[in-house]
Amino acid sequence: KNQVEQSPQSLIILEGKNCTLQCNYTVSPFSNLRWYKQDTGRGPVSLTIMTFSENTKSNGRYTATLDADTKQSSLHITASQLSDSASYICVVRTKAAGNKLTFGGGTRVLVKP
Amino acid sequence: DGGITQSPKYLFRKEGQNVTLSCEQNLNHDAMYWYRQDPGQGLRLIYYSQIVNDFQKGDIAEGYSVSREKKESFPLTVTSAQKNPTAFYLCASRAPMNTEAFFGQGTRLTVV
């Protein structure tokens, strides 16, 4: 069964500190993996996309990694800001018919001053 | 501005009533999707449409219905058969050959 598991479920960090979110998946065959940021009560917005051949990709203070062998991805937030408070969702697309998306449950991040 | 618009943002429904959630996009995307989001859970696919006048059931279609009469519009009806309709509903669209799904701002439905 295709699954995407994220950890931790939630975390609290102080402004200016770094944090790393984890995503493990069993989706197969793998097409790509996206990290989305979802502010409370809003729709998700794409942060970055990782394909099979990519190991690291950055978008400002967000850096995503992908290990396709172990089927793990991480999202690192550097020098966190209050505006980083949101849910971060890992989404994996399969190459199978329909290009189905499988969503993780998200990690809720709260940045405190 | 191009985008995908959901309305209303908040919706209250009495038990036993049907209610329709609106989703409109002016991105010229062929594919549109409806997801349900519950606290602590990943988004679950309700229905999707790859092209006008065609739609397919997702993983949790029971108690829901959709139509796709126009490319721009993909309304979702939550029927009285849906036993636990209180949730946050997200609509998304995607262009052909593009892997990114663009989401609306969501509709929070509460059954009272």
Side-chain angles (χ1 to χ4, degrees), chain B residues 11-17 85-86 108-112:
Chain B
L11 189 57
F12 295 87
R13 189 196 91 175
K14 291 183 179 179
E15 282 192 27
Q17 286 182 338
T86 295
R108 183 166 298 282
L109 173 65
T110 303
V111 174
V112 297

Side-chain angles (χ1 to χ4, degrees), chain A residues 9 31-32 34 36 38 40-46 49 89 93 98-106 108, chain B residues 9 33 35 37 40-45 48 50 59 88 90 94 98-106 108:
Chain A
Q9 272 196 327
S31 176
N32 60 59
R34 277 187 190 271
Y36 282 85
Q38 183 179 21
T40 300
R42 314 268 297 183
V45 175
S46 178
I49 179 173
I89 302 172
R93 183 180 295 277
N99 289 309
K100 187 177 179 180
L101 299 177
T102 304
F103 289 78
R108 186 177 296 276
Chain B
K9 190 170 176 64
Y33 308 81
Y35 293 93
Q37 187 175 36
Q41 295 189 36
L43 274 68
R44 292 182 290 169
L45 182 64
Y48 65 99
Q50 304 273 41
D59 300 319
F88 189 56
L90 283 163
R94 185 172 67 86
N98 189 329
T99 61
E100 181 177 358
F102 291 84
F103 287 86
Q105 294 304 298
R108 183 166 298 282

Side-chain angles (χ1 to χ4, degrees), chain B residues 23-98:
Chain B
C23 179
E24 304 278 333
Q25 54 98 1
N26 59 6
L27 300 167
N28 200 33
H29 288 173
D30 288 310
M32 296 186 74
Y33 308 81
W34 273 106
Y35 293 93
R36 171 183 171 136
Q37 187 175 36
D38 294 286
Q41 295 189 36
L43 274 68
R44 292 182 290 169
L45 182 64
I46 305 172
Y47 268 97
Y48 65 99
S49 169
Q50 304 273 41
I51 197 169
V52 176
N53 291 323
D54 183 61
F55 50 83
Q56 306 293 330
K57 290 182 178 180
D59 300 319
I60 55 165
E62 185 176 351
Y64 300 98
S65 66
V66 294
S67 63
R68 188 81 188 278
E69 298 176 0
K70 298 186 300 181
K71 189 175 188 178
E72 301 80 15
S73 179
F74 191 40
L76 172 74
T77 296
V78 184
T79 75
S80 56
Q82 170 50 238
K83 298 306 179 188
N84 185 23
T86 295
F88 189 56
Y89 291 86
L90 283 163
C91 179
S93 69
R94 185 172 67 86
M97 308 307 292
N98 189 329

